[in-house]
Every structure is written in C-alpha cells, then in structure tokens.
Amino acid sequence: MAGISTKGSYGLAAMYELALHYGQGHLQIRDIAEKAHIPPNYLEQILATLRKEGLIQSIRGAGGGYLLAKAPAQIHIYEILFTLEGELCTPADEGLQPILHLYWGRVKEDMKSVFHESLQDLVDQGNALNQQSMYFI
C-alpha cells in the first residue's frame, strides 16, 4: 500500500497556489515554487505531469507560466493525487485472502470520499482560516 509522497504533497500545494490565482492570469514557476516552498526543478517535473493529464495549462515564452485548465471547483483533490501518485490504496500482496481484498476496496472508496473535496473547497477553507487569524491579531 502506498502513501502520499512528497510528489503528491507538492503537487497539491502547487495546485492550491494556482487555485488562489484562478482568473487572474498565469503564475511563473519560480513564483509557485517560492509561495509553496517547492524546489523549482522538482516542481517543473510535477507540473509537466499535471499538464499532460489536462489539469493545468502552460503558456510558453519568457513571460509564460501555468494556470488551471478548469475552475477550482471542478478539480478534486483525489484527481490531483491519483495523477501524481497512482492508486492511493493498493495492497502489495495480491495473494491476500478475499476478505482482505474487500477490506482494502472499502478503504480505497473511503479515501476517494475523503479526498473528494475540490480545490475551491481548499481555497474557501484557507480564506476562512485567514479571517479567523485576523481576529486574533
């Protein structure tokens, strides 16, 4: 069974940054890397994968960058993680007893449910958190 690696975490962080700027134009890779605290070279690989899967678009050229291919409400966290990680809950041993296959199948469905939130949900939660923080300053 695989967990969520740095690749998945960084990919989600990059997508969150793009969601925060949705409708405001593109972001350059150095800006995404700086804001999300991701090594630029690693981010480049992650963004290439996300682009190939149609989750983001790239704009070429000196002033180019990246933007979401769809509205944040249409991109689910599970979709991002599946793109970068593959199946999130797959037992390593295919020779398991049938009841264990059923169990892992339920776990997989539960994970899909947990990660069903959209990027817009994350943006909204982040905005609410920022509002709460402002009251405590």
Side-chain angles (χ1 to χ4, degrees):
M1 179 173 77
I4 298 171
S5 69
T6 304
K7 185 177 186 179
S9 295
Y10 282 170
L12 183 56
M15 293 291 284
Y16 177 72
E17 287 300 325
L18 292 171
L20 287 174
H21 294 88
Y22 183 73
Q24 301 171 16
H26 60 277
L27 286 177
Q28 293 187 336
I29 196 164
R30 71 173 182 265
D31 295 325
I32 300 168
E34 183 180 307
K35 291 175 183 193
H37 308 289
I38 304 170
N41 291 341
Y42 195 26
L43 178 58
E44 207 170 319
Q45 297 169 23
I46 292 168
L47 294 177
T49 302
L50 294 168
R51 185 186 53 76
K52 286 178 191 170
E53 291 300 316
L55 294 174
I56 62 173
Q57 296 176 338
S58 62
I59 298 171
R60 296 181 178 263
Y66 294 89
L67 62 151
L68 295 179
K70 305 184 260 187
Q74 296 176 325
I75 302 172
H76 292 93
I77 294 169
Y78 185 84
E79 186 179 6
I80 297 164
L81 295 176
F82 182 81
T83 295
L84 296 170
E85 302 282 354
E87 198 61 65
L88 296 179
C89 186
T90 304
D93 184 5
E94 292 299 320
L96 293 174
Q97 296 171 337
I99 189 64
L100 295 178
H101 281 288
L102 289 173
Y103 172 75
W104 288 118
R106 283 194 334 258
V107 169
K108 186 186 305 185
E109 290 306 311
D110 288 348
M111 289 181 79
K112 284 182 182 179
S113 175
V114 167
F115 293 128
H116 187 69
E117 291 186 45
S118 70
L119 283 175
Q120 186 61 54
D121 294 329
L122 283 183
V123 169
D124 294 344
Q125 291 169 23
N127 289 339
L129 184 63
N130 288 339
Q131 288 295 325
Q132 288 177 356
S133 297
M134 290 176 68
Y135 292 121
F136 294 113
I137 294 177

